[in-house]
Coordinates of all heavy atoms in Angstrom, one line a residue:
M1377 N 0.9 -1.2 0.0 CA 0.0 0.0 0.0 C 0.9 1.2 0.0 O 1.8 1.4 0.8 CB -0.9 0.0 1.3 CG -1.8 1.2 1.4 SD -2.9 1.2 2.8 CE -3.9 -0.2 2.6
D1378 N 0.7 2.1 -1.0 CA 1.5 3.3 -1.0 C 0.8 4.4 -0.2 O -0.3 4.3 0.4 CB 1.7 3.8 -2.5 CG 0.5 4.3 -3.2 OD1 -0.6 4.3 -2.5 OD2 0.6 4.7 -4.3
S1379 N 1.5 5.5 0.0 CA 1.1 6.6 0.9 C -0.2 7.2 0.4 O -1.1 7.6 1.2 CB 2.1 7.7 1.0 OG 2.4 8.3 -0.2
K1380 N -0.5 7.3 -0.9 CA -1.7 7.9 -1.4 C -2.9 7.0 -1.1 O -3.9 7.5 -0.7 CB -1.6 8.0 -3.0 CG -2.8 8.7 -3.5 CD -2.6 9.0 -5.0 CE -3.9 9.7 -5.6 NZ -3.7 10.0 -7.0
E1381 N -2.7 5.7 -1.1 CA -3.8 4.8 -0.8 C -4.1 4.9 0.7 O -5.2 4.8 1.2 CB -3.4 3.3 -1.1 CG -3.4 3.1 -2.6 CD -2.9 1.7 -2.9 OE1 -2.1 1.1 -2.1 OE2 -3.3 1.1 -3.9
L1382 N -3.1 5.1 1.5 CA -3.2 5.2 3.0 C -3.9 6.5 3.3 O -4.9 6.5 4.1 CB -1.9 5.1 3.7 CG -1.9 5.2 5.2 CD1 -2.6 4.0 5.7 CD2 -0.4 5.2 5.7
L1383 N -3.6 7.6 2.7 CA -4.2 8.9 2.9 C -5.7 8.9 2.5 O -6.5 9.6 3.2 CB -3.5 10.0 2.2 CG -2.3 10.5 2.8 CD1 -1.6 11.5 1.9 CD2 -2.6 11.2 4.1
A1384 N -6.1 8.1 1.6 CA -7.5 8.0 1.1 C -8.4 7.5 2.3 O -9.5 7.9 2.3 CB -7.6 7.0 0.0
Y1385 N -7.8 6.8 3.3 CA -8.6 6.4 4.4 C -8.9 7.5 5.4 O -9.9 7.5 6.1 CB -7.9 5.3 5.2 CG -8.0 3.9 4.5 CD1 -6.9 3.4 3.8 CD2 -9.2 3.2 4.4 CE1 -6.9 2.2 3.2 CE2 -9.2 2.0 3.8 CZ -8.1 1.5 3.2 OH -8.1 0.3 2.5
F1386 N -8.1 8.6 5.3 CA -8.3 9.7 6.3 C -9.0 10.9 5.6 O -9.4 11.8 6.4 CB -6.9 10.1 6.8 CG -6.3 9.1 7.7 CD1 -5.3 8.2 7.1 CD2 -6.6 9.0 9.0 CE1 -4.7 7.3 7.9 CE2 -6.0 8.0 9.8 CZ -5.1 7.2 9.3
L1387 N -9.2 10.9 4.3 CA -9.7 12.0 3.6 C -11.1 11.7 3.1 O -11.5 10.5 3.0 CB -8.8 12.5 2.5 CG -7.5 13.0 2.9 CD1 -6.6 13.1 1.6 CD2 -7.6 14.3 3.6
P1388 N -11.9 12.7 2.8 CA -13.3 12.4 2.2 C -13.1 11.5 1.0 O -12.2 11.7 0.2 CB -13.8 13.8 1.9 CG -13.1 14.7 2.8 CD -11.7 14.1 3.0
E1389 N -14.1 10.6 0.8 CA -14.0 9.7 -0.3 C -14.0 10.3 -1.6 O -14.7 11.3 -1.9 CB -15.3 8.8 -0.2 CG -15.2 7.6 -1.2 CD -16.4 6.7 -1.1 OE1 -17.2 6.8 -0.1 OE2 -16.6 5.9 -2.0
G1390 N -13.0 9.9 -2.5 CA -12.9 10.4 -3.8 C -12.2 11.7 -4.0 O -11.9 12.2 -5.1
I1391 N -11.7 12.4 -2.9 CA -11.1 13.7 -3.0 C -9.8 13.7 -3.8 O -9.4 14.6 -4.5 CB -11.0 14.4 -1.7 CG1 -10.8 15.9 -1.9 CG2 -9.9 13.8 -0.8 CD1 -11.1 16.7 -0.6
L1392 N -9.1 12.6 -3.6 CA -7.7 12.5 -4.3 C -7.8 12.3 -5.8 O -6.8 12.3 -6.5 CB -6.9 11.4 -3.6 CG -6.5 11.7 -2.2 CD1 -5.7 10.5 -1.6 CD2 -5.7 13.0 -2.1
E1393 N -9.0 12.0 -6.3 CA -9.2 11.9 -7.7 C -9.2 13.3 -8.4 O -8.8 13.4 -9.5 CB -10.6 11.3 -8.1 CG -10.7 9.8 -7.7 CD -12.1 9.3 -7.9 OE1 -12.7 9.7 -8.9 OE2 -12.5 8.4 -7.1
Y1394 N -9.5 14.3 -7.6 CA -9.6 15.7 -8.2 C -8.6 16.7 -7.6 O -8.5 17.8 -8.1 CB -11.0 16.2 -8.0 CG -12.1 15.4 -8.6 CD1 -12.9 14.5 -7.9 CD2 -12.3 15.4 -10.0 CE1 -13.8 13.7 -8.5 CE2 -13.2 14.6 -10.6 CZ -14.0 13.7 -9.8 OH -14.9 12.9 -10.4
F1395 N -8.0 16.3 -6.5 CA -7.0 17.2 -5.8 C -5.7 16.5 -5.5 O -5.7 15.3 -5.2 CB -7.6 17.7 -4.5 CG -8.8 18.6 -4.6 CD1 -10.1 18.1 -4.7 CD2 -8.7 19.9 -4.7 CE1 -11.2 18.9 -4.9 CE2 -9.8 20.8 -4.9 CZ -11.0 20.2 -5.0
D1396 N -4.6 17.3 -5.5 CA -3.3 16.8 -5.1 C -3.0 17.4 -3.7 O -3.3 18.6 -3.5 CB -2.2 17.3 -6.1 CG -2.3 16.5 -7.4 OD1 -2.6 15.3 -7.4 OD2 -2.1 17.2 -8.4
I1397 N -2.3 16.7 -2.9 CA -1.8 17.2 -1.6 C -0.5 17.9 -1.9 O 0.4 17.3 -2.3 CB -1.7 16.2 -0.5 CG1 -3.0 15.5 -0.3 CG2 -1.1 16.8 0.7 CD1 -2.9 14.3 0.6
I1398 N -0.5 19.3 -1.7 CA 0.7 20.0 -2.1 C 1.5 20.4 -0.8 O 2.7 20.7 -1.0 CB 0.4 21.2 -2.9 CG1 -0.5 22.2 -2.2 CG2 -0.1 20.8 -4.3 CD1 -0.6 23.5 -2.9
E1399 N 0.9 20.3 0.3 CA 1.6 20.7 1.6 C 0.9 20.1 2.8 O -0.3 19.9 2.8 CB 1.7 22.2 1.7 CG 2.5 22.7 2.8 CD 2.6 24.2 2.9 OE1 1.9 24.9 2.0 OE2 3.2 24.7 3.8
A1400 N 1.7 19.8 3.8 CA 1.1 19.3 5.1 C 1.8 20.2 6.2 O 3.1 20.2 6.2 CB 1.4 17.9 5.3
K1401 N 1.0 20.8 7.0 CA 1.6 21.7 8.1 C 1.1 21.1 9.4 O 0.0 20.7 9.6 CB 1.1 23.1 7.9 CG 1.4 23.8 6.6 CD 0.9 25.2 6.6 CE -0.3 25.3 5.6 NZ -0.8 26.6 5.5
E1402 N 2.1 21.0 10.3 CA 1.8 20.5 11.6 C 2.2 21.4 12.7 O 3.3 22.0 12.7 CB 2.5 19.1 11.8 CG 2.2 18.5 13.1 CD 2.9 17.1 13.3 OE1 3.8 16.8 12.4 OE2 2.6 16.4 14.2
S1403 N 1.4 21.6 13.7 CA 1.8 22.4 14.9 C 1.4 21.5 16.1 O 1.1 20.4 16.0 CB 1.0 23.7 15.0 OG -0.4 23.5 15.1
N1404 N 1.5 22.1 17.3 CA 1.3 21.3 18.5 C -0.1 20.7 18.6 O -0.3 19.6 19.1 CB 1.5 22.2 19.8 CG 3.0 22.5 20.0 OD1 3.8 21.8 19.4 ND2 3.2 23.6 20.7
D1405 N -1.1 21.4 18.1 CA -2.5 21.0 18.3 C -3.3 20.9 17.0 O -4.5 20.8 17.0 CB -3.2 21.8 19.3 CG -3.3 23.3 18.9 OD1 -2.5 23.7 17.9 OD2 -4.1 24.1 19.4
R1406 N -2.6 21.1 15.8 CA -3.3 21.2 14.6 C -2.5 20.6 13.4 O -1.3 20.7 13.3 CB -3.5 22.7 14.3 CG -4.2 23.0 13.1 CD -4.4 24.5 13.0 NE -5.0 24.9 11.7 CZ -5.9 25.8 11.6 NH1 -6.2 26.6 12.6 NH2 -6.4 26.1 10.4
L1407 N -3.2 19.9 12.5 CA -2.7 19.4 11.3 C -3.5 20.0 10.1 O -4.7 20.0 10.1 CB -2.9 17.8 11.3 CG -2.4 17.1 10.0 CD1 -0.9 17.3 9.7 CD2 -2.8 15.7 10.0
T1408 N -2.8 20.6 9.2 CA -3.4 21.2 8.0 C -2.9 20.6 6.7 O -1.7 20.5 6.5 CB -3.1 22.7 8.0 OG1 -3.6 23.3 9.2 CG2 -3.9 23.4 6.8
L1409 N -3.8 20.1 5.9 CA -3.4 19.6 4.6 C -3.9 20.5 3.5 O -5.0 20.9 3.5 CB -4.0 18.2 4.4 CG -3.7 17.1 5.3 CD1 -4.5 15.8 5.0 CD2 -2.2 16.8 5.2
V1410 N -3.0 20.9 2.7 CA -3.3 21.9 1.6 C -3.5 21.1 0.3 O -2.6 20.4 -0.1 CB -2.2 22.9 1.4 CG1 -2.5 23.9 0.3 CG2 -1.9 23.7 2.7
L1411 N -4.7 21.2 -0.2 CA -5.1 20.5 -1.4 C -5.3 21.4 -2.6 O -5.9 22.5 -2.4 CB -6.4 19.7 -1.2 CG -6.4 18.7 0.0 CD1 -7.8 18.4 0.4 CD2 -5.7 17.5 -0.5
E1412 N -4.8 21.1 -3.8 CA -4.9 21.9 -4.9 C -5.6 21.1 -6.0 O -5.2 20.0 -6.3 CB -3.5 22.4 -5.4 CG -3.6 23.4 -6.6 CD -2.2 23.9 -6.9 OE1 -1.7 24.7 -6.2 OE2 -1.6 23.4 -7.9
E1413 N -6.6 21.7 -6.6 CA -7.4 21.0 -7.7 C -6.5 20.7 -8.9 O -5.7 21.5 -9.3 CB -8.5 21.9 -8.1 CG -9.5 21.2 -9.0 CD -10.7 22.0 -9.3 OE1 -10.7 23.2 -9.2 OE2 -11.8 21.4 -9.6
K1414 N -6.6 19.5 -9.4 CA -5.8 19.0 -10.5 C -6.4 19.8 -11.8 O -7.6 20.1 -11.8 CB -6.0 17.5 -10.7 CG -5.4 16.7 -9.6 CD -5.6 15.2 -9.9 CE -5.0 14.4 -8.8 NZ -5.1 13.0 -9.0
P1415 N -5.5 20.0 -12.7 CA -6.0 20.7 -13.9 C -6.7 19.8 -14.9 O -6.4 19.6 -16.1 CB -4.7 21.2 -14.6 CG -3.7 20.2 -14.1 CD -4.1 19.8 -12.8
L1416 N -7.8 19.2 -14.4 CA -8.6 18.3 -15.3 C -10.0 18.9 -15.5 O -10.7 19.1 -14.5 CB -8.8 16.9 -14.6 CG -7.5 16.2 -14.2 CD1 -7.9 14.9 -13.4 CD2 -6.8 15.7 -15.5
P1417 N -10.4 19.1 -16.7 CA -11.8 19.5 -17.0 C -12.7 18.4 -16.6 O -12.4 17.2 -16.9 CB -11.8 19.9 -18.5 CG -10.6 19.2 -19.1 CD -9.6 19.0 -18.0
M1418 N -13.9 18.8 -16.0 CA -14.8 17.8 -15.6 C -16.1 17.8 -16.4 O -16.5 18.9 -16.9 CB -15.2 18.0 -14.1 CG -14.0 17.7 -13.2 SD -14.5 17.9 -11.5 CE -13.6 19.4 -11.1
G1419 N -16.7 16.7 -16.6 CA -18.1 16.6 -17.2 C -18.1 17.2 -18.6 O -17.3 16.9 -19.4
E1420 N -19.2 18.0 -18.8 CA -19.4 18.6 -20.1 C -18.3 19.6 -20.5 O -18.1 19.9 -21.6 CB -20.8 19.3 -20.1 CG -20.8 20.5 -19.1 CD -22.2 21.1 -19.0 OE1 -23.2 20.3 -19.0 OE2 -22.3 22.3 -19.0
Q1421 N -17.5 20.1 -19.5 CA -16.5 21.1 -19.8 C -15.3 20.4 -20.5 O -14.4 21.1 -21.0 CB -16.0 21.8 -18.5 CG -17.1 22.6 -17.9 CD -17.7 23.7 -18.7 OE1 -17.0 24.2 -19.6 NE2 -18.9 24.0 -18.5
S1422 N -15.2 19.0 -20.4 CA -14.0 18.3 -20.9 C -13.9 18.5 -22.4 O -12.8 18.3 -22.9 CB -14.1 16.9 -20.5 OG -15.2 16.2 -21.1
Q1423 N -14.9 18.8 -23.1 CA -14.8 18.9 -24.6 C -14.5 20.4 -25.0 O -14.3 20.6 -26.2 CB -16.2 18.5 -25.2 CG -16.5 17.1 -24.9 CD -15.5 16.1 -25.4 OE1 -14.9 16.2 -26.5 NE2 -15.2 15.1 -24.6
K1424 N -14.5 21.3 -24.1 CA -14.3 22.7 -24.4 C -12.8 23.1 -24.1 O -12.2 22.5 -23.2 CB -15.2 23.6 -23.6 CG -16.7 23.3 -24.0 CD -17.6 24.2 -23.1 CE -19.1 23.9 -23.4 NZ -20.0 24.6 -22.6
R1425 N -12.3 24.1 -24.7 CA -11.0 24.6 -24.5 C -11.0 25.6 -23.4 O -11.4 26.7 -23.6 CB -10.4 25.1 -25.7 CG -10.2 24.1 -26.8 CD -9.5 24.6 -28.0 NE -8.1 24.7 -27.6 CZ -7.2 25.5 -28.3 NH1 -7.6 26.1 -29.3 NH2 -6.0 25.5 -27.9
L1426 N -10.7 25.2 -22.2 CA -10.8 26.1 -21.0 C -9.4 26.8 -20.8 O -8.4 26.1 -21.0 CB -11.2 25.4 -19.8 CG -12.6 24.7 -19.8 CD1 -12.9 23.9 -18.6 CD2 -13.7 25.8 -20.0
H1427 N -9.4 28.0 -20.3 CA -8.2 28.7 -19.9 C -8.2 28.9 -18.4 O -9.2 29.3 -17.8 CB -8.1 30.0 -20.6 CG -7.9 29.9 -22.1 ND1 -6.6 29.9 -22.6 CD2 -8.7 29.8 -23.1 CE1 -6.7 29.8 -23.9 NE2 -7.9 29.7 -24.3
S1428 N -7.0 28.6 -17.8 CA -6.9 28.8 -16.4 C -6.9 30.3 -16.1 O -6.2 31.1 -16.7 CB -5.6 28.2 -15.9 OG -5.4 28.4 -14.5
K1429 N -7.6 30.7 -15.1 CA -7.7 32.1 -14.6 C -7.2 32.2 -13.2 O -7.7 33.1 -12.4 CB -9.2 32.6 -14.7 CG -9.8 32.4 -16.1 CD -9.3 33.5 -17.0 CE -10.0 33.4 -18.3 NZ -9.5 34.2 -19.3
G1430 N -6.4 31.3 -12.7 CA -5.9 31.3 -11.4 C -6.7 30.5 -10.5 O -7.3 29.4 -10.9
F1431 N -6.8 30.9 -9.2 CA -7.5 30.1 -8.2 C -8.6 30.9 -7.5 O -8.4 32.2 -7.3 CB -6.6 29.5 -7.1 CG -5.7 28.4 -7.7 CD1 -4.4 28.7 -8.2 CD2 -6.1 27.1 -7.7 CE1 -3.6 27.8 -8.7 CE2 -5.3 26.1 -8.2 CZ -4.0 26.4 -8.7
Y1432 N -9.6 30.3 -7.0 CA -10.6 30.9 -6.1 C -9.9 31.1 -4.8 O -8.9 30.5 -4.5 CB -11.8 30.1 -6.0 CG -12.7 30.0 -7.2 CD1 -12.8 28.9 -8.0 CD2 -13.5 31.1 -7.5 CE1 -13.6 28.9 -9.1 CE2 -14.4 31.1 -8.6 CZ -14.4 30.0 -9.4 OH -15.2 29.9 -10.5
P1433 N -10.5 32.0 -3.9 CA -9.9 32.1 -2.5 C -9.9 30.7 -1.9 O -10.8 29.9 -2.1 CB -10.8 33.0 -1.8 CG -11.4 33.9 -2.9 CD -11.5 32.9 -4.1
V1434 N -8.9 30.4 -1.0 CA -8.8 29.1 -0.3 C -10.0 28.9 0.6 O -10.4 29.8 1.3 CB -7.5 29.1 0.5 CG1 -7.4 27.9 1.3 CG2 -6.3 29.2 -0.4
T1435 N -10.5 27.7 0.6 CA -11.6 27.3 1.4 C -11.0 26.4 2.5 O -10.3 25.5 2.2 CB -12.7 26.5 0.7 OG1 -13.2 27.4 -0.4 CG2 -13.8 26.1 1.6
Q1436 N -11.3 26.7 3.8 CA -10.8 25.9 4.9 C -12.0 25.0 5.4 O -13.0 25.6 5.8 CB -10.2 26.8 6.0 CG -9.5 25.9 7.0 CD -8.8 26.8 8.0 OE1 -9.4 27.4 8.8 NE2 -7.5 26.9 7.9
I1437 N -11.7 23.7 5.5 CA -12.7 22.8 6.0 C -12.2 22.1 7.2 O -11.1 21.5 7.1 CB -13.1 21.7 4.9 CG1 -13.5 22.5 3.6 CG2 -14.1 20.7 5.4 CD1 -13.6 21.6 2.4
Q1438 N -12.9 22.1 8.3 CA -12.5 21.3 9.5 C -13.0 19.9 9.3 O -14.1 19.6 9.1 CB -13.1 22.0 10.7 CG -12.6 21.3 12.0 CD -13.0 22.0 13.2 OE1 -13.7 23.0 13.2 NE2 -12.5 21.5 14.4
D1439 N -12.0 19.0 9.5 CA -12.3 17.6 9.4 C -12.2 16.9 10.8 O -12.0 17.6 11.7 CB -11.3 16.9 8.4 CG -11.8 15.6 7.8 OD1 -12.9 15.2 8.1 OD2 -11.1 15.1 6.9
F1440 N -12.4 15.6 10.8 CA -12.3 14.9 12.1 C -10.9 15.0 12.6 O -10.0 14.9 11.9 CB -12.8 13.5 12.0 CG -14.3 13.4 11.7 CD1 -14.7 13.1 10.5 CD2 -15.2 13.5 12.8 CE1 -16.1 13.0 10.2 CE2 -16.5 13.4 12.5 CZ -17.0 13.1 11.2
P1441 N -10.7 15.0 14.0 CA -9.4 15.1 14.5 C -8.6 13.8 14.2 O -9.2 12.7 14.1 CB -9.6 15.2 16.0 CG -11.0 15.6 16.2 CD -11.8 15.1 15.0
I1442 N -7.3 13.9 14.1 CA -6.4 12.8 13.9 C -5.4 12.8 15.0 O -4.7 13.8 15.2 CB -5.7 12.8 12.5 CG1 -6.7 12.8 11.4 CG2 -4.7 11.7 12.4 CD1 -6.1 13.0 10.0
R1443 N -5.3 11.7 15.8 CA -4.3 11.6 16.9 C -4.4 12.8 17.8 O -3.4 13.5 18.2 CB -2.9 11.5 16.4 CG -2.7 10.2 15.5 CD -2.5 9.1 16.4 NE -2.3 7.9 15.5 CZ -2.2 6.7 16.0 NH1 -2.3 6.5 17.3 NH2 -2.0 5.7 15.2
R1444 N -5.6 13.2 18.2 CA -5.8 14.3 19.2 C -5.4 15.7 18.6 O -5.2 16.6 19.4 CB -5.2 14.1 20.5 CG -5.7 12.9 21.2 CD -5.2 12.8 22.6 NE -5.6 11.6 23.3 CZ -4.9 10.7 23.8 NH1 -3.6 10.8 23.7 NH2 -5.4 9.6 24.3
K1445 N -5.3 15.8 17.3 CA -5.0 17.1 16.7 C -6.2 17.5 15.8 O -6.7 16.7 15.1 CB -3.7 17.0 15.8 CG -2.5 16.9 16.6 CD -1.3 17.0 15.8 CE 0.0 16.8 16.6 NZ 1.1 17.4 16.0
A1446 N -6.5 18.8 15.8 CA -7.5 19.3 14.9 C -7.0 19.1 13.5 O -5.8 19.4 13.2 CB -7.8 20.7 15.3
C1447 N -7.9 18.7 12.6 CA -7.5 18.5 11.2 C -8.2 19.4 10.3 O -9.5 19.5 10.4 CB -7.7 17.1 10.8 SG -7.1 16.7 9.2
Y1448 N -7.5 20.2 9.5 CA -8.1 21.1 8.6 C -7.6 20.8 7.2 O -6.5 20.4 6.9 CB -7.7 22.6 8.9 CG -8.4 23.0 10.2 CD1 -7.8 22.8 11.4 CD2 -9.6 23.7 10.2 CE1 -8.4 23.3 12.6 CE2 -10.2 24.1 11.3 CZ -9.6 23.9 12.5 OH -10.2 24.3 13.7
L1449 N -8.5 21.0 6.2 CA -8.2 20.9 4.8 C -8.3 22.3 4.2 O -9.3 22.9 4.3 CB -9.2 19.9 4.1 CG -9.3 18.5 4.7 CD1 -10.4 17.8 3.9 CD2 -8.0 17.8 4.7
E1450 N -7.2 22.8 3.6 CA -7.3 24.0 2.9 C -7.4 23.7 1.4 O -6.4 23.1 0.8 CB -6.0 24.9 3.2 CG -6.0 25.4 4.6 CD -4.8 26.3 4.8 OE1 -4.0 26.5 3.9 OE2 -4.8 26.8 6.0
V1451 N -8.5 24.0 0.8 CA -8.8 23.6 -0.6 C -8.6 24.8 -1.6 O -9.3 25.8 -1.4 CB -10.2 23.0 -0.7 CG1 -10.5 22.5 -2.1 CG2 -10.3 21.8 0.3
K1452 N -7.8 24.6 -2.6 CA -7.6 25.6 -3.6 C -8.2 25.0 -4.9 O -7.8 24.1 -5.5 CB -6.1 25.8 -3.9 CG -5.4 26.4 -2.7 CD -3.9 26.5 -2.9 CE -3.5 27.4 -4.1 NZ -2.1 27.6 -4.3
R1453 N -9.3 25.7 -5.3 CA -10.0 25.3 -6.6 C -9.6 26.2 -7.7 O -9.5 27.4 -7.5 CB -11.5 25.4 -6.4 CG -12.0 24.4 -5.3 CD -13.4 23.9 -5.4 NE -13.7 23.4 -6.8 CZ -14.8 23.7 -7.4 NH1 -15.7 24.5 -6.9 NH2 -15.0 23.2 -8.6
R1454 N -9.5 25.6 -8.9 CA -9.1 26.4 -10.1 C -10.2 27.2 -10.6 O -11.4 26.8 -10.5 CB -8.6 25.4 -11.2 CG -7.3 24.8 -10.8 CD -6.8 23.9 -12.0 NE -5.6 23.3 -11.6 CZ -4.4 23.9 -11.6 NH1 -4.3 25.1 -12.0 NH2 -3.3 23.3 -11.2
R1455 N -9.9 28.4 -11.1 CA -10.9 29.2 -11.8 C -10.6 29.1 -13.3 O -9.5 29.5 -13.7 CB -10.7 30.7 -11.3 CG -11.7 31.6 -11.9 CD -11.4 33.1 -11.4 NE -11.2 33.1 -10.0 CZ -11.8 34.0 -9.2 NH1 -12.7 34.9 -9.7 NH2 -11.6 34.0 -7.9
C1456 N -11.5 28.7 -14.0 CA -11.4 28.5 -15.5 C -12.4 29.2 -16.2 O -13.5 29.5 -15.7 CB -11.5 27.0 -15.8 SG -10.1 26.0 -15.1
G1457 N -12.1 29.5 -17.4 CA -13.1 30.2 -18.3 C -12.9 29.9 -19.7 O -11.8 29.4 -20.1
L1458 N -13.9 30.2 -20.5 CA -13.8 30.0 -21.9 C -13.0 31.1 -22.5 O -13.1 32.3 -22.1 CB -15.2 29.9 -22.6 CG -16.0 28.7 -22.1 CD1 -17.4 28.8 -22.7 CD2 -15.3 27.4 -22.6
P1459 N -12.2 30.9 -23.6 CA -11.5 32.0 -24.2 C -12.4 33.0 -24.8 O -13.4 32.6 -25.3 CB -10.6 31.3 -25.2 CG -11.2 30.0 -25.5 CD -12.0 29.6 -24.2
T1460 N -12.0 34.3 -24.7 CA -12.9 35.3 -25.3 C -12.2 35.8 -26.6 O -11.0 35.8 -26.7 CB -13.0 36.5 -24.3 OG1 -11.7 37.0 -24.0 CG2 -13.8 36.1 -23.1
K1461 N -13.0 36.2 -27.5 CA -12.5 36.6 -28.8 C -12.6 38.1 -28.9 O -13.7 38.7 -28.7 CB -13.4 36.0 -30.0 CG -13.2 34.5 -30.0 CD -14.1 33.9 -31.1 CE -14.0 32.4 -31.1 NZ -14.9 31.8 -32.1
Y1462 N -11.5 38.8 -29.0 CA -11.5 40.2 -29.1 C -10.9 40.6 -30.4 O -10.0 40.1 -31.0 CB -10.7 40.9 -28.0 CG -11.4 40.8 -26.7 CD1 -11.0 39.9 -25.7 CD2 -12.5 41.5 -26.4 CE1 -11.6 39.8 -24.5 CE2 -13.2 41.4 -25.2 CZ -12.7 40.6 -24.2 OH -13.4 40.5 -23.1

């Protein structure tokens, strides 16, 4: 079992299909995992040519504690748009 498979047991189901863990921060009483959305178009958008427009503001989600430490997920979602013709 590799580390990605192991982490899947601690994270919401299916989240690693759409996000990469880019950082893990630990303090005395807190664990924070920073997740960044993969550059994959989803659903009906997969057939369109999308352009990256950066990221939305980070969303922080409190998850269940791990080993008596508060666990937070900081989620960075991509902002995409269709190209404009000028």
Side-chain angles (χ1 to χ4, degrees):
M1377 179 181 295
D1378 67 1
S1379 60
K1380 185 175 180 180
E1381 290 174 332
L1382 183 62
L1383 279 172
Y1385 286 105
F1386 293 97
L1387 296 171
E1389 186 176 350
I1391 198 165
L1392 293 178
E1393 292 176 34
Y1394 301 103
F1395 293 88
D1396 289 321
I1397 298 173
I1398 59 168
E1399 187 179 1
K1401 301 181 252 183
E1402 183 181 10
S1403 66
N1404 291 339
D1405 60 347
R1406 182 178 176 141
L1407 174 65
T1408 304
L1409 298 176
V1410 181
L1411 302 161
E1412 186 176 284
E1413 189 173 25
K1414 294 179 180 180
L1416 302 173
M1418 294 184 249
E1420 63 187 43
Q1421 302 298 333
S1422 64
Q1423 301 302 319
K1424 299 178 182 175
R1425 297 187 71 197
L1426 299 175
H1427 289 269
S1428 179
K1429 304 286 184 185
F1431 290 93
Y1432 288 105
V1434 173
T1435 302
Q1436 190 175 73
I1437 302 167
Q1438 184 173 4
D1439 203 356
F1440 291 102
I1442 298 175
R1443 300 278 181 185
R1444 296 188 183 124
K1445 290 187 178 202
C1447 184
Y1448 290 88
L1449 306 176
E1450 290 184 359
V1451 181
K1452 294 173 67 177
R1453 296 208 51 224
R1454 292 186 181 279
R1455 184 184 307 233
C1456 296
L1458 295 173
T1460 56
K1461 297 178 183 177
Y1462 290 106

